[in-house]
């Protein structure tokens, strides 16, 4: 069984995944600058570094080996500072084709529902947009579902769990991180699926029959960061009226009163006849803000 204390620590989480036979990329736990230096060498020189606890949406993260002409020592020191000079993981850079997530719901009685995979696009380590369903082969979709369900069963989950995965260029899947809660990438489930993730969470924790997770229509979301409310240091109001004029688009605000750079303030959602159309519509609306 995986406790929340373990899942909240990236070192412990990755160790648990590896110990239980789930596919993860090469990584090293680092607890000092010297350990980070050694890890970068052992992992081939190109790494993503993440703090063991806390940190999200690009916070508590650094990179080594991606800046042409940069000193490796300077990059390592910069990554260590990004970690807050505390424990973290160094992950070997992989040949990535796309990033997906799979949401699993599991009730105390053992009933399980696995949502169709979501395709996720990040910019500067922050989720920019996501769409359900992800454009995957039937074989890769089935494998992703199998991995996510097995993790939930091994975890003895009661609630919902988002399993973030890397789709490799060679067709393999690697587990990136686990999030035992409703997930940003499944906000589109409210419009895409028969049962949205928030209703499903209530059903799961109350041991009620889990809802149907079938696709009603493809749907996409685009995150709205605090940057949209700030221009040249001044507060501005985004052009919500222009965005909402795009067919099929809705606005969802999180009632956060202090916008700041990189802070998720809400999202736009859109539906379409296809996943590509849903993405095109939501990005068109975002551009009008």
């Amino acid at each position: 069984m995986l406790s929340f204390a373990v899942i909240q620590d990236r070192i412990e989480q990755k160790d648990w995944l590896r110990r239980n036979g789930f596919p993860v990329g090469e990584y090293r736990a680092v607890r000092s600058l010297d350990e980070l230096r050694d890890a970068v060498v052992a992992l081939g020189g190109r790494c993503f570094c993440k703090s063991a606890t806390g940190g999200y949406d690009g916070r508590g993260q650094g990179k080594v080996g991606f800046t042409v002409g940069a000193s490796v020592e300077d990059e390592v020191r910069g990554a260590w500072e990004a970690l807050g000079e505390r424990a973290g993981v160094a992950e070997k850079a992989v040949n990535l084709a796309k990033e997906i997530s799979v949401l699993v719901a599991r009730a105390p009685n053992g009933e399980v529902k696995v949502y169709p995979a979501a395709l996720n696009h990040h910019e500067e380590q922050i989720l920019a947009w996501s769409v359900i369903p992800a454009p995957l082969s039937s074989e890769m979709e089935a494998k992703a579902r199998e991995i996510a369900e097995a993790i939930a069963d091994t975890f003895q989950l009661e609630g919902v769990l988002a399993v973030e995965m890397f789709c490799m260029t060679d067709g393999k899947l690697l587990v990136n991180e686990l999030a035992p809660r409703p997930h940003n990438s499944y906000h589109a489930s409210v419009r895409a699926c028969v049962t949205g993730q928030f209703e499903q969470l209530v059903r799961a924790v109350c041991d009620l029959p889990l809802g149907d997770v079938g696709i009603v229509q493809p749907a996409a979301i685009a995150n709205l960061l605090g940057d949209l409310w700030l221009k040249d240091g001044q507060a501005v109001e985004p052009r919500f009226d222009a965005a909402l004029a795009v067919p099929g688009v809705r606005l969802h605000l999180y009632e956060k009163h202090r916008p700041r750079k990189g802070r998720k303030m809400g999202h736009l959602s859109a539906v379409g006849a296809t996943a590509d159309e849903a993405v095109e519509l939501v990005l068109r609306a975002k551009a009008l803000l």
Side-chain angles (χ1 to χ4, degrees), residues 15 53 56 64 71 87 94 105 112 141 144 164 192 212 218 236 248 260:
D15 288 348
T53 58
Y56 63 95
V64 176
S71 159
V94 297
V112 174
E141 174 80 21
E164 299 176 15
D212 185 355
V236 297
R260 63 172 180 266

Side-chain angles (χ1 to χ4, degrees), residues 71-265:
S71 159
V72 174
E73 177 62 19
D74 287 346
E75 285 195 298
V76 169
R77 287 183 177 275
W80 180 241
E81 290 173 2
L83 296 181
E85 300 184 349
R86 53 196 176 93
V89 290
E91 302 174 357
K92 183 176 182 177
V94 297
N95 295 319
L96 183 65
K98 61 188 70 171
E99 295 184 51
I100 64 170
S101 51
V102 177
L103 188 74
V104 187
R106 186 176 183 276
N109 64 23
E111 183 186 8
V112 174
K113 294 284 187 180
V114 185
Y115 281 78
L119 174 68
N120 304 322
H121 174 74
H122 293 80
E123 295 175 2
E124 299 192 11
Q125 288 79 56
I126 301 176
L127 183 67
W129 58 263
S130 182
V131 64
I132 302 171
L136 300 176
S137 67
S138 57
E139 293 79 10
M140 183 167 284
E141 174 80 21
K143 182 61 178 177
R145 291 168 61 90
E146 177 187 327
I147 291 171
E149 184 171 353
I151 290 173
D153 283 340
T154 307
F155 183 5
Q156 297 181 30
L157 174 71
E158 294 182 8
V160 297
L161 174 75
V163 182
E164 299 176 15
M165 303 186 206
F166 295 142
C167 299
M168 311 292 288
T169 54
D170 62 5
K172 295 179 181 177
L173 287 168
L174 297 177
V175 177
N176 177 27
E177 288 191 358
L178 308 179
R181 53 175 170 75
H183 198 257
N184 192 188
S185 64
Y186 274 85
H187 286 332
S189 67
V190 175
R191 304 190 68 186
C193 303
V194 176
T195 309
Q197 64 171 342
F198 298 106
E199 178 184 340
Q200 196 75 289
L201 174 61
V202 173
R203 286 173 176 251
V205 299
C206 294
D207 209 12
L208 295 169
L210 297 181
D212 185 355
V213 296
I215 296 289
V216 176
Q217 57 193 344
I221 65 109
N223 280 322
L224 306 180
L225 304 183
D227 312 51
L228 285 168
W229 280 257
L230 305 170
K231 185 175 182 181
D232 299 326
Q234 302 296 316
V236 297
E237 184 73 12
R239 287 293 310 275
F240 295 130
D241 57 334
L244 291 172
V246 177
V249 170
R250 292 181 187 168
L251 172 66
H252 311 257
L253 296 177
Y254 304 155
E255 298 184 2
K256 297 178 180 178
H257 302 297
R258 294 183 180 177
R260 63 172 180 266
K261 184 177 175 62
R263 188 183 195 192
K264 290 175 183 171
M265 301 295 293

Side-chain angles (χ1 to χ4, degrees), residues 12 19 79 95 233:
E12 298 292 340
R19 194 163 57 245
N95 295 319

